[in-house]
Amino acid sequence: MIQNKKSLKAWLCLAIGILTATLARAEVRMPAIFGDHMVLQAGERVNIWGWADDGEKVTVTFRGQKATTVAKDGKWMVSLKKMKAGGPGVLTVAGKNSIQFDDVVVGEVWVCSGQSNMEFALRNSYEVTNDIIAATNTQIRLFLVAKSRLDEPTNDVKGSWQVCSPNSAQWFSAVAYYFGRDLQRARKVPVGLIGTYWGGSPAEVWMRQDMLENNPRYKKEILDTYTPQGKRYEVALAKYKTEKAEAEKNQVTFEKRPPGQPWKPAELYNGMIAPLTNYTIRGALWYQGEANAGRAEQYRTLFPDMIRNWRADWREGNFPFLLVQLAPFQRIKNEPAESAWAELREAQLYSTQILPKVGEVVITDVGNPDNIHPTKKEPVGDRLALAAQGIAYGERIVYSGPIYQKLKVRGDKAIVSFTSAGHGLETRDGELKGFAICGEDHKFVWANAVIDGKDKVIVSSPEVAHPVAVRYGWADCPVVNLWNRDGLPATPFRTDNFPMVTAGK
């Protein structure tokens, strides 16, 4: 028996709480990647999923299709049949409750990821005022994933789909925006861009934990080294908190900054990739590598394994994966020298040679020796869109600059052959720059280089009587000028396999 008004009030609050919790559990719920203005992938089966009570019947309706399932273990998923690009339309999800998503279109969906040069916002780009003003385009939709570092994989992200406008575009990735703009112009269909990036992040934080654990090298060189880093951080953080509290107690100004938290392997995969892997996509864009440059030799396997990881988890086969080669950066050197950044660029190129449907864009012409974040992002996005047209959509176009193919030595001359020469090799500003040659002593010197025919360059030096190897653009900040006549720069390369300065790091 209820004794007084106070206990009656408490009883009612408890009953309402129980009823509210019961109703909340009963409601069909959806992850944040589904929302008004979203883009669903054209030409592929599209996954729609969420949560509901066990045994609850859930029906998804869109464009005349109706897909029904029953929730199991609190989860449900259906697949819509392949659809042509277009829209907009209304997508409804009905269970014990009903959810409606408006202004839903079907088109091309790309995940855009990496570190700070992918995160670099459109508003900070070179001479961007007119591009921002012209950014209104209802055929482009943007979804920015909120940053999240997690120890275990999660099933949802924070974010929402936005129609492309001057306001939404200026805060989004500049590289991704220019890619989407050019792709939409070329394909004339809606384009959805999912931005999931974090400045300064190394590749291993974007990979599954077990992918790292199952590789002895990664376990030793990445996972085992994180533990002492983490312990040092915890000690430093505890000391910082103690000193700050003591200063506040004594009313003393405290100006120290908290210690920087070390990156933890898999944490961005857990928070910013794993929740997206059911969402049907066309492909991925990747601009990262600066944080791994000191371990470039390791990146030769780590990066391809990350691509394999993503492809396995999305369960869409070998979807197109397009990367941006590192831009020139750091002091320009007067003489040929070893370079960790050059080795990282080679590792990036290597991924395109061992994995299917991996493409690379070269940006040796838009770097800045004094700025790790070059502001000219439009050429980067343009070239990614060109690569997508060739790799993802099978258009017969030249989408790559010249790539080293083979070396032949004749007397004191080294003849370098290229693929992807397009309509022929050219230089835009006088004599070829950036070529170096060495003999049996492995000492590289700057070389004379001339274009020979459509796809060859003859390299020589009076200092090298018997050439052994040639390098091009092999520097932190290469100064180079070999292009094809289709307007794309040649990738830096080396013809040798001399020991790498980053080996074992």
Side-chain angles (χ1 to χ4, degrees):
M1 182 176 178
I2 300 172
Q3 298 297 323
N4 51 50
K5 292 182 178 180
K6 188 174 183 179
S7 27
L8 174 61
K9 183 177 180 181
W11 184 87
L12 287 173
C13 288
L14 177 62
I16 292 171
I18 293 172
L19 179 61
T20 301
T22 302
L23 291 173
R25 286 197 302 271
E27 287 189 349
V28 172
R29 295 183 296 114
M30 305 281 288
I33 194 65
F34 294 101
D36 296 341
H37 318 302
M38 66 180 161
V39 183
L40 302 178
Q41 178 59 50
E44 304 289 343
R45 293 183 67 85
V46 172
N47 298 322
I48 310 290
W49 75 95
W51 305 278
D53 281 349
D54 285 0
E56 185 171 351
K57 183 180 178 181
V58 179
T59 300
V60 176
T61 305
F62 183 63
R63 274 196 180 181
Q65 291 193 50
K66 182 178 289 188
T68 300
T69 189
V70 174
K72 183 178 180 181
D73 298 326
K75 298 177 288 186
W76 59 269
M77 177 184 288
V78 300
S79 293
L80 299 178
K81 295 178 181 179
K82 296 179 181 180
M83 297 175 285
K84 293 183 178 180
V90 175
L91 186 147
T92 60
V93 180
K96 294 177 181 177
N97 61 304
S98 182
I99 303 172
Q100 177 174 304
F101 299 115
D102 297 322
D103 189 32
V104 177
V105 296
V106 178
E108 298 300 309
V109 181
W110 288 80
V111 170
C112 313
S113 189
Q115 59 179 114
S116 53
N117 272 305
M118 180 60 86
E119 184 176 356
F120 194 92
L122 179 64
R123 68 194 303 269
N124 298 322
S125 298
Y126 179 76
E127 295 183 350
V128 76
T129 302
N130 290 336
D131 290 341
I132 291 177
I133 293 172
T136 299
N137 189 338
T138 60
Q139 293 295 291
I140 299 176
R141 314 292 176 88
L142 313 173
F143 187 101
L144 180 58
V145 175
K147 293 178 177 178
S148 177
R149 303 171 73 153
L150 297 177
D151 291 338
E152 299 293 335
T154 187
N155 58 12
D156 202 358
V157 296
K158 292 181 179 179
S160 62
W161 285 99
Q162 304 291 321
V163 176
C164 189
S165 67
N167 184 56
S168 61
Q170 68 173 318
W171 299 102
F172 203 73
S173 161
V175 168
Y177 167 75
Y178 283 122
F179 164 82
R181 182 197 67 179
D182 284 16
L183 185 67
Q184 198 281 320
R185 287 175 179 173
R187 305 297 298 174
K188 294 180 173 53
V189 299
V191 171
L193 305 173
I194 301 173
T196 178
Y197 33 72
W198 197 321
S201 56
E204 60 267 21
V205 303
W206 296 100
M207 297 174 67
R208 261 198 338 261
Q209 182 79 14
D210 65 301
M211 287 287 290
L212 300 168
E213 291 175 341
N214 294 335
N215 185 302
R217 181 178 184 184
Y218 303 155
K219 185 178 185 305
K220 177 182 178 182
E221 297 177 356
I222 296 175
L223 296 178
D224 291 350
T225 61
Y226 169 74
T227 302
Q229 288 176 0
K231 289 181 178 178
R232 286 194 295 270
Y233 167 73
E234 290 171 3
V235 171
L237 182 62
K239 181 181 178 182
Y240 167 83
K241 289 181 177 179
T242 300
E243 291 177 349
K244 183 179 181 183
E246 188 67 20
E248 291 173 349
K249 178 181 177 182
N250 297 322
Q251 297 183 337
V252 176
T253 302
F254 188 73
E255 297 180 350
K256 284 187 178 180
R257 292 185 178 183
Q261 182 178 352
W263 290 107
K264 187 175 182 180
E267 64 181 346
L268 299 191
Y269 172 87
N270 293 336
M272 301 174 68
I273 294 297
L276 304 174
T277 55
N278 282 328
Y279 200 80
T280 310
I281 63 173
R282 175 63 68 200
L285 309 181
W286 180 254
Y287 193 166
Q288 188 275 341
E290 296 91 341
N292 289 86
R295 296 178 281 127
E297 188 265 339
Q298 180 195 75
Y299 202 78
R300 291 173 69 90
T301 60
L302 184 71
F303 180 48
D305 281 345
M306 193 208 80
I307 297 173
R308 295 184 182 102
N309 178 170
W310 286 24
R311 285 175 167 175
D313 292 358
W314 251 281
R315 301 180 302 281
E316 293 186 38
N318 294 323
F319 62 73
F321 196 104
L322 310 179
L323 67 104
V324 182
Q325 193 182 79
L326 293 189
F329 175 59
Q330 302 185 82
R331 182 174 61 87
I332 297 173
K333 296 180 179 179
N334 294 326
E335 300 297 332
E338 299 299 333
S339 165
W341 277 56
E343 291 182 1
L344 196 286
R345 293 188 191 101
E346 181 183 63
Q348 293 175 312
L349 176 63
Y350 181 63
S351 70
T352 71
Q353 297 168 337
I354 65 171
L355 294 177
K357 293 187 178 180
V358 176
E360 175 188 70
V361 301
V362 176
I363 54 170
T364 49
D365 56 319
V366 294
N368 185 334
D370 300 318
N371 190 347
I372 199 171
H373 304 119
T375 60
K376 293 182 179 180
K377 301 301 187 188
E378 186 172 16
V380 186
D382 291 350
R383 292 170 195 173
L384 282 168
L386 199 64
Q389 291 174 61
I391 296 173
Y393 305 107
E395 296 186 19
R396 294 185 177 182
I397 57 173
V398 177
Y399 59 84
S400 169
I403 299 172
Y404 165 70
Q405 181 182 36
K406 63 181 179 180
L407 173 70
K408 182 178 290 187
V409 176
R410 290 181 182 171
D412 62 350
K413 293 181 173 54
I415 303 171
V416 182
S417 298
F418 294 86
T419 60
S420 299
H423 290 86
L425 303 177
E426 71 171 10
T427 174
R428 296 184 171 184
D429 51 358
E431 296 181 353
L432 284 175
K433 304 172 185 176
F435 281 89
I437 193 169
C438 79
E440 294 178 355
D441 60 359
H442 293 189
K443 182 181 178 180
F444 283 91
V445 297
W446 294 125
N448 301 314
V450 294
I451 294 171
D452 180 38
K454 180 182 178 181
D455 59 0
K456 293 180 178 60
V457 171
I458 299 176
V459 185
S460 63
S461 169
E463 299 179 48
V464 180
H466 304 287
V468 169
V470 171
R471 291 180 174 181
Y472 170 75
W474 197 261
D476 298 334
C477 190
V479 178
V480 290
N481 62 353
L482 178 64
W483 295 61
N484 59 26
R485 292 177 183 171
D486 304 87
L488 296 169
T491 180
F493 67 89
R494 61 173 180 156
T495 68
D496 62 88
N497 60 356
F498 302 158
M500 301 174 69
V501 295
T502 59
K505 295 183 180 179

